[in-house]
Amino acid sequence: MLKTGLIQPETIPGHFPRNLRTIVELYRSCLDSGAELVLCPPLALSGMHTGELALRDGFRSQHRAALTYLAKEIADIPLVLGAADEEGLHFHLLRNGRSFPQEAVIPHSASCTSSVPVSGIFRNTGEAGFSILPWAPSSPVPCLLLRTPSGAWRAGLLEQEEEEERCLAQATGLPVFTSRLAGGEGPFLLPGASSAWSGNGSLLGRLRLFERDSAVISAEAPAHQAFSLPAPEEQLRHALRKGMADFIQKTGHISACLNLLESPSSPLLAHLSKEALPSLKITGLIPRLPGVPERDLARARALADRLGIHAREWTFPSPTAGEGPEGHFTAMWSMRQWVQGEGALLLSALNGTDVMTDSPLLPGALAADFMPLGDLYETELADLFPGLLTPAPEAAMRDGLLIRLHRNHESATPLADRLPEREQEIRRLQRRARASEWMRRKLPPRLLLRSAPGKPETPYVHRLMD
């Protein structure tokens, strides 16, 4: 088997200079390790979640210029890269300053035998040295098979895909390489963990989960440790920390603020912020509102001291701040004005349970810039980080219903028919979700860790059937 370099960049959509520099650095590290061919994930140059940027003429011209410049940085060892052009997504083989467009198209054609695009890489005597063609069982035998999945990370994704890779390698007797991007792109998290499998289905190597990485892998002497995937809970903890760090860093902020009394999840968010970015300057805002017990203020001050974050107490004139949600709203928007002057990023500690059930807190959360915990329910966070969050006794039943209604997209009426003893709670949760639906649409970005990207929280079928 070829000594094949596998690179796994972290990208920023539309940031061509940074993405190009990352690809070149990882490519050269593979050259130093003796690679004969280097594989790069599709869309590493442009970033994956470009949205409407990809429709702009300026973006397309910059993309073409970046691809031309990248080709000039590639030496005699070819680099395989998937890039977008006017006709769609195609592979390009870069070598000796030139780009050779290939016939293989992304996504896969109907002839592929799996749900992920699979292409064959062939050695030839042409100027490019290799060629890339769509692969089918009837195709000529290639040097290796290349899979290019493009989905954002979700629980269970990597385990499912690696089983498909192993089965494909065993069925064909060919080495199978899977190439993925890594790191955060806004609310999405790209999994990384690019891998290589031998023709008998044994793991040759795997790159790091969620992190920029590279390795040169061969069947005779795998150069990269073939470690096992972490347990699903550990993957989720890693994803949450990595997603927070990437979102904050890629927005260009060097400081962040959060309200230490916003919700019971505030201490957890403070801990995670310090773990994810130890060098980040974090300010813990403590609003002194009417009705807030002194013990809560003391607890917030103690938390800030323990974590080494700066505590800033905020006293509001009594005419401008009331108790309950009204006071929370006033506090958050007053903090927003201060944070803008400081150039910091304002975080919200509301979790998925708060978002779906506590409508009075949502107007204040609109002031924030980022809501890292908004996709995970209270009991999920308590299980992931024991000791930092203590849910109420009825939380497990409530969150179980929320998951079925809003994450699994079950309609309330059939669910109530199956669980008649819970119908009153199901209807209560349904009413709360309907009342806050428009407000939730305006909330700040959150990491998508459990929700399926692109699907609404409250299915339209609820309104049709109920």
Side-chain angles (χ1 to χ4, degrees), residues 180-391:
R180 302 184 188 90
L181 292 172
E185 286 193 358
F188 302 97
L189 196 67
L190 305 178
S194 301
S195 57
W197 299 75
S198 69
N200 60 13
S202 61
L203 182 62
L204 295 173
R206 182 189 288 113
L207 304 189
R208 288 185 296 165
L209 184 68
F210 304 127
E211 306 287 346
R212 159 181 163 164
D213 203 0
S214 67
V216 174
I217 300 171
S218 69
E220 295 75 22
H224 210 70
Q225 181 184 7
F227 60 87
S228 300
L229 284 172
E233 295 80 9
E234 190 56 40
Q235 289 186 41
L236 184 54
R237 281 190 283 265
H238 189 173
L240 182 54
R241 294 186 181 99
K242 177 64 175 177
M244 286 177 57
D246 277 13
F247 188 98
I248 295 171
Q249 288 180 319
K250 290 175 181 178
T251 57
H253 289 86
I254 60 173
S255 61
C257 299
L258 69 153
N259 180 353
L260 294 178
L261 298 178
E262 182 183 13
S263 81
S265 301
S266 296
L268 172 59
L269 181 58
H271 277 88
L272 291 176
S273 299
K274 288 301 292 183
E275 289 178 9
L277 288 169
S279 61
L280 182 72
K281 179 184 175 184
I282 300 176
T283 301
L285 303 172
I286 306 175
R288 299 182 67 94
L289 292 168
V292 176
E294 185 60 37
R295 65 176 180 275
D296 289 351
L297 299 176
R299 194 179 297 120
R301 286 192 289 267
L303 173 67
D305 290 341
R306 188 165 67 251
L307 295 179
I309 65 180
H310 175 65
R312 179 184 175 88
E313 294 198 29
W314 209 284
T315 303
F316 293 87
S318 52
T320 62
E323 298 183 29
E326 221 175 278
H328 171 75
F329 175 84
T330 303
M332 287 296 288
W333 282 96
S334 298
M335 291 173 189
R336 176 71 186 174
Q337 294 176 354
W338 178 80
V339 164
Q340 285 180 321
E342 295 291 314
L345 189 79
L346 182 59
L347 306 177
S348 171
L350 298 190
N351 57 48
T353 303
D354 300 325
V355 169
M356 299 308 301
T357 64
D358 209 340
S359 303
L361 292 178
L362 300 187
L366 297 179
D369 298 301
F370 183 37
M371 185 182 290
L373 310 180
D375 199 39
L376 298 173
Y377 293 118
E378 184 180 6
T379 49
E380 293 176 315
L381 290 167
D383 291 340
L384 287 172
F385 304 98
L388 292 177
L389 190 62
T390 305

Side-chain angles (χ1 to χ4, degrees), residues 353-360 362 398 402 406 425-440 458:
T353 303
D354 300 325
V355 169
M356 299 308 301
T357 64
D358 209 340
S359 303
L362 300 187
R398 175 205 61 209
L402 287 174
H406 303 293
E425 178 68 8
I426 291 169
R427 296 302 182 184
R428 186 179 68 86
L429 293 174
Q430 183 187 29
R431 287 194 301 271
R432 288 193 172 192
R434 281 177 170 173
S436 63
E437 184 173 7
W438 180 244
M439 189 70 70
R440 293 199 314 274
T458 305

Side-chain angles (χ1 to χ4, degrees), residues 40-41 66 75 79 85 89 93 154 165 168 318 431:
C40 182
L79 172 72
D85 55 30
L89 290 170
L93 201 148
R154 56 176 172 79
E165 294 155 21
L168 180 61
S318 52
R431 287 194 301 271

Side-chain angles (χ1 to χ4, degrees), residues 12-13 26 57 60 79 98 107 113 119 146-147 150 161 223 229 281 299 306 321 385 393 405 426:
I12 297 179
L26 294 174
D57 291 339
R60 294 175 180 175
L79 172 72
R98 295 184 62 190
T113 59
S119 303
L146 175 62
R147 300 175 82 251
S150 59
E161 288 189 351
L229 284 172
K281 179 184 175 184
R299 194 179 297 120
R306 188 165 67 251
F385 304 98
L405 286 169
I426 291 169

Side-chain angles (χ1 to χ4, degrees), residues 21-199:
R21 184 170 62 249
T22 300
I23 295 170
V24 171
E25 289 173 357
L26 294 174
Y27 168 79
R28 289 175 178 170
S29 71
C30 290
L31 295 193
D32 294 341
S33 299
E36 301 173 71
L37 173 71
V38 180
L39 307 177
C40 182
L43 302 176
L45 193 55
S46 63
M48 185 171 293
H49 298 101
T50 53
E52 65 176 14
L53 276 177
L55 304 176
R56 299 179 181 179
D57 291 339
F59 179 91
R60 294 175 180 175
S61 61
Q62 288 181 51
H63 193 184
R64 289 192 295 269
L67 186 61
T68 301
Y69 186 90
L70 177 61
K72 295 177 182 178
E73 296 292 322
I74 303 304
D76 190 52
I77 303 303
L79 172 72
V80 174
L81 173 77
D85 55 30
E86 290 79 1
E87 299 178 359
L89 290 170
H90 287 79
F91 279 110
H92 292 256
L93 201 148
L94 311 181
R95 186 183 186 193
N96 289 331
R98 295 184 62 190
S99 173
F100 301 89
Q102 302 294 299
E103 292 184 26
V105 178
I106 312 167
H108 66 298
S109 66
S111 62
C112 285
T113 59
S114 75
S115 58
V116 172
V118 180
S119 303
I121 296 184
F122 301 82
R123 191 191 289 270
N124 58 37
T125 57
E127 196 172 356
F130 293 88
S131 60
I132 311 164
L133 298 170
W135 180 82
S138 58
S139 302
V141 179
C143 300
L144 59 89
L145 298 178
L146 175 62
R147 300 175 82 251
T148 52
S150 59
W153 181 85
R154 56 176 172 79
L157 173 74
L158 294 174
E159 289 81 359
Q160 174 187 338
E161 288 189 351
E162 293 210 341
E163 180 61 21
E164 293 174 0
E165 294 155 21
R166 185 183 64 80
C167 292
L168 180 61
Q170 289 178 328
T172 61
L174 295 169
V176 176
F177 281 68
T178 297
S179 181
R180 302 184 188 90
L181 292 172
E185 286 193 358
F188 302 97
L189 196 67
L190 305 178
S194 301
S195 57
W197 299 75
S198 69

